[in-house]
Amino acid sequence: MIQSMHFPDIQTLGTDGLLVRFGDSLSEPANRAALAFGAALERDLPEGVEEIATSLVSVFVRFDVRHLRHADLRSDLAKRLKAQDWFAAEMPTGRRLITIPTVYGGTYGPQLAKAAEMAGLSEDAAIKDLSEADLRITAVGFAPGQPYLGFLPDHWDIPRNAELAPVPTGAVVAAVRQIVLFSVDSPTGWNHVGQTAFRAFQPDHPDPFRLRPGDEIRFTSVTPEEYEALKSAPDGGATWGKVE
């Protein structure tokens, strides 16, 4: 089994919650385990559990203390954890592949050149890397519907910036082998490398948080002219399919 001697573990979180952790830092196996275990709990919800929420490497389980004790839920979760190697589990079914047109560099991605240099690449090679990568949404959070995605190749293990700079909604930013797609205007220390017309948070849509953990994303490269035309297209030109 891949897990260390310390993980997975179960921690008490408040009066009505338990946290199942698969690591103390982000890794592909720990994120895979969190997504798979969270999906398994959703399919077979323990009686008295009211909420399941996955994050980068953990699953939060909130329950009704009137009908379930911490000790009983902890015992149930421990049995489920021992049932299989969650670090090598299959990813949940029903995941989607979303292709999002992205314009890189220039005024749309003012820190692309800097990021490419830190990654040891030319700007063209950096765009090729970023636009061809199949990225998994590891978690959604920080801002409404905002996805964190991994994992880029090792040479993209570049640092965040020391100072914050504002980025607009739809910005594609990169650091530490990850990409974040900003769902709202916000300051960030991540490197702003591209821009999309896609909105991950759409308050008036029947499903306001358009993306889900486990979905896969491709940020395909388009020209500035194509990007400007896509501003008026549904979902900014994004297309939706299924992960094979």
Side-chain angles (χ1 to χ4, degrees), residues 96 198-200 202 205 207-212 235 240:
R96 302 167 302 174
F198 178 76
R199 299 295 177 259
Q202 299 179 23
H205 193 277
D207 187 11
F209 294 179
R210 302 303 313 282
L211 304 174
R212 301 192 293 257
D235 274 337
W240 303 72

Side-chain angles (χ1 to χ4, degrees), residues 112-125:
L112 174 67
K114 174 186 175 184
E117 182 178 4
M118 287 190 291
L121 301 170
S122 67
E123 288 189 47
D124 286 344

Side-chain angles (χ1 to χ4, degrees), residues 127-140:
I127 292 172
K128 186 174 187 294
D129 257 9
L130 296 170
S131 63
E132 293 182 354
D134 289 331
L135 299 167
R136 178 202 304 163
I137 298 179
T138 55
V140 172

Side-chain angles (χ1 to χ4, degrees), residues 93-164:
T93 59
R95 295 184 303 128
R96 302 167 302 174
L97 172 62
I98 303 101
T99 301
I100 302 178
T102 306
V103 57
Y104 291 96
T107 58
Y108 302 100
Q111 294 173 315
L112 174 67
K114 174 186 175 184
E117 182 178 4
M118 287 190 291
L121 301 170
S122 67
E123 288 189 47
D124 286 344
I127 292 172
K128 186 174 187 294
D129 257 9
L130 296 170
S131 63
E132 293 182 354
D134 289 331
L135 299 167
R136 178 202 304 163
I137 298 179
T138 55
V140 172
F142 179 75
Q146 181 163 295
Y148 288 72
L149 303 108
F151 296 89
L152 291 169
D154 288 343
H155 50 265
W156 280 100
D157 190 13
I158 62 176
R160 302 173 183 86
N161 298 308
E163 297 183 358
L164 301 180

Side-chain angles (χ1 to χ4, degrees), residues 215-228:
D215 285 344
E216 293 189 7
I217 307 292
R218 292 175 186 160
F219 293 101
T220 55
S221 178
V222 296
T223 66
E225 293 76 19
E226 290 170 326
Y227 164 75
E228 291 296 333

